Amino acid sequence: MAGSGSAVTVSADEVIGFRLRAHQLTTRCRADDLLAAAGACAVQNSPPGSALLALHARVRDVTGARVDRLVADEKSLLQTWSLRGAPFFFPTADAPVFTTGVLPPTEAGRLHLIGGVEQALRTLDLGLDEIVDRTAEATGPVLSGRALAVTELGAEVAARLAGTLTRARRAAWEAPGPYGANQPLGEAVVHFCLRILTLRGLLCLAPRSANTAPFVLLDEWLGDPVPETDPGEARAALLRRYLRCYGPSTRKDFAAWVGIGSRDAQPWWEAIADELTPVDVDGRRTWILTEHADDLRSADVHGVRLLPPGDPYTQMRDRATIVDPKHQRAVWKSVGAPGAVLADGAIAGTWRPRKHGRTLTVTVTLFAPLRSALRTRLREEARHVAQLRGADQAHVEFDDESD
């Protein structure tokens, strides 16, 4: 089995170069390759609109209209809850990888993936799989032929399920729970279950309307059911995608990227164990797909990208590889995270947009001085971002000085 021999030794710079190429951040790819760029490791869309900026950083001539057409008309690009329970875009053809491939094979693993529902299940004396199955049965009739926001869908499904419960369980189901102000416990449980149902391929998200992305039945949205895929094959495909974009890496980091526990990652890792080669990165034992072991090399990267919060590149879990620990809190915030400035292949700072009328102001906080040529490129990037955000002009401010 690969991995039993000595490890390949590489530097952090070689790892960064490998990942930058895998994320299409060395040179923007052709407009026709947008789906391939989205399918590399899927593109998170929270906060809403961030996926469009992430695609712009990788693909030439990206527009909101084109992405909308791929989603709403061609339906070759799909959005649904996926990794870590967040909304992601990925090619419809890759749906099994980013749905079935994310779903843990055990109930304990599924509980970890949607952590927080355990207290409610104890109160109701119900198992996760049991209530997910009941929610699936109720969701089909409720959502058929309709598009509903999560609050509306949760309320209607919870009301339908209430009638199937015993008197004691129904009382707890309809009582206010600990998850939201005046939110019945049952509605909150349904919301948790919907995260599993998206991974089962029952639901997906339609384009945003009235400032929300409503749920629709996946088969109705596409017109045809997504072909069934063996779960083991889907998990293997997901791990391969991960290692192509974030390798060399570890089981622990992969688990955090998916949103599961380290021990829960065993089925994914075992599925491709004979395809892996060990890699030593600054004394840290990691793993890469054997077919890519010779691709680990530094990249000669020029130019600037304004990466949005939640960009696939900054979703790597070994954060010290790309950002000095003293700057990590500035880049990765649990609430209100900024975007990241990628300059000549390095994370050089953070940025925040502020739109007023038809002008977008981009405030840039740098970790170190940026040479004049890169500042010029940054202003050019800001103009493109402004266009994607529906603004006519862009104004860039570096730290506290207006520019």
Side-chain angles (χ1 to χ4, degrees):
M1 182 183 76
S4 58
S6 60
V8 176
T9 300
V10 299
S11 68
D13 285 344
E14 289 173 314
V15 172
I16 291 173
F18 175 82
R19 293 179 183 176
L20 285 169
R21 287 189 296 273
H23 282 266
Q24 293 92 27
L25 290 173
T26 53
T27 303
R28 282 186 170 95
C29 61
R30 298 179 306 121
D32 291 344
D33 293 329
L34 186 150
L35 289 177
C41 52
V43 183
Q44 186 171 326
N45 195 38
S46 58
S50 58
L52 181 62
L53 299 183
L55 289 170
H56 162 70
R58 293 158 169 79
V59 185
R60 295 195 293 268
D61 303 321
V62 168
T63 65
R66 177 154 188 256
V67 172
D68 289 344
R69 185 168 64 253
L70 293 174
V71 175
D73 300 330
E74 297 181 18
K75 298 184 179 177
S76 56
L77 191 65
L78 191 67
Q79 182 180 199
T80 194
W81 285 345
S82 179
L83 302 157
R84 305 179 299 279
F88 277 78
F89 280 109
F90 45 79
T92 302
D94 292 334
V97 178
F98 296 107
T99 56
T100 303
V102 175
L103 192 61
T106 67
E107 186 174 33
R110 292 187 283 273
L111 274 169
H112 190 112
L113 183 66
I114 59 169
V117 73
E118 295 91 336
Q119 178 183 342
L121 295 178
R122 286 193 295 269
T123 299
L124 295 166
D125 191 26
L126 289 170
L128 175 64
D129 288 350
E130 179 183 358
I131 194 60
V132 169
D133 288 342
R134 291 191 186 193
T135 301
E137 292 175 2
T139 298
V142 166
L143 200 53
S144 181
R146 306 169 74 191
L148 295 177
V150 64
T151 51
E152 299 171 306
L153 178 59
E156 290 196 32
V157 171
R160 181 177 287 253
L161 287 175
T164 68
L165 300 174
T166 64
R167 181 179 299 178
R169 281 177 175 162
R170 180 167 184 169
W173 184 264
E174 296 178 335
Y179 301 102
N182 300 316
Q183 183 187 44
L185 184 69
E187 285 187 28
V189 170
V190 169
H191 289 189
F192 281 109
C193 292
L194 293 178
R195 298 187 182 278
I196 299 295
L197 297 186
T198 58
L199 301 180
R200 286 189 181 183
L202 181 65
L203 314 172
C204 70
L205 294 167
R208 294 182 71 82
S209 175
N211 205 33
T212 187
F215 281 101
V216 291
L217 293 176
L218 180 60
D219 289 356
E220 287 187 354
W221 176 251
L222 297 179
D224 292 298
V226 174
E228 290 189 13
T229 300
D230 176 74
E233 293 179 1
R235 286 191 289 271
L238 181 71
L239 179 52
R240 292 188 191 103
R241 301 276 177 117
Y242 171 81
L243 290 173
R244 284 166 185 156
C245 287
Y246 301 101
S249 189
T250 65
R251 187 178 318 186
K252 179 181 178 181
D253 287 348
F254 169 71
W257 179 74
V258 175
I260 58 177
S262 296
R263 294 180 180 178
D264 297 328
Q266 186 69 13
W268 283 264
W269 216 259
E270 287 181 344
I272 65 168
D274 60 352
E275 301 176 31
L276 304 179
T277 289
V279 179
D280 185 294
V281 184
D282 294 337
R284 184 172 182 249
R285 174 60 67 98
T286 62
W287 305 87
I288 196 167
L289 291 169
T290 301
E291 63 181 292
H292 295 305
D294 294 333
D295 298 330
L296 289 164
R297 60 185 185 279
S298 300
D300 188 16
V301 184
H302 300 285
V304 173
R305 302 285 192 275
L306 292 177
L307 305 180
D311 185 88
Y313 184 68
T314 57
Q315 288 299 318
M316 64 181 71
R317 299 298 144 167
D318 52 340
R319 295 173 172 177
T321 302
I322 59 171
V323 176
D324 189 293
K326 66 183 179 182
H327 297 307
Q328 289 181 15
R329 287 188 178 181
V331 176
W332 290 283
K333 293 180 178 291
S334 57
V335 179
V341 177
L342 183 70
D344 282 355
I347 301 297
T350 62
W351 67 280
R352 291 185 181 277
R354 184 177 71 256
K355 188 178 178 186
H356 182 73
R358 303 293 294 179
T359 299
L360 185 75
T361 298
V362 175
T363 302
V364 176
T365 302
L366 297 171
F367 300 150
L370 201 65
R371 57 190 175 89
S372 178
L374 287 177
R375 288 185 176 229
T376 299
R377 295 290 295 274
L378 194 153
R379 294 186 191 97
E380 294 174 1
E381 280 296 298
R383 283 194 288 272
H384 290 299
V385 169
Q387 293 171 359
L388 292 172
R389 295 285 299 268
D392 297 326
Q393 300 181 41
H395 178 68
V396 178
E397 297 177 352
F398 289 97
D399 294 324
D400 296 327
E401 65 176 292
S402 213
D403 193 290

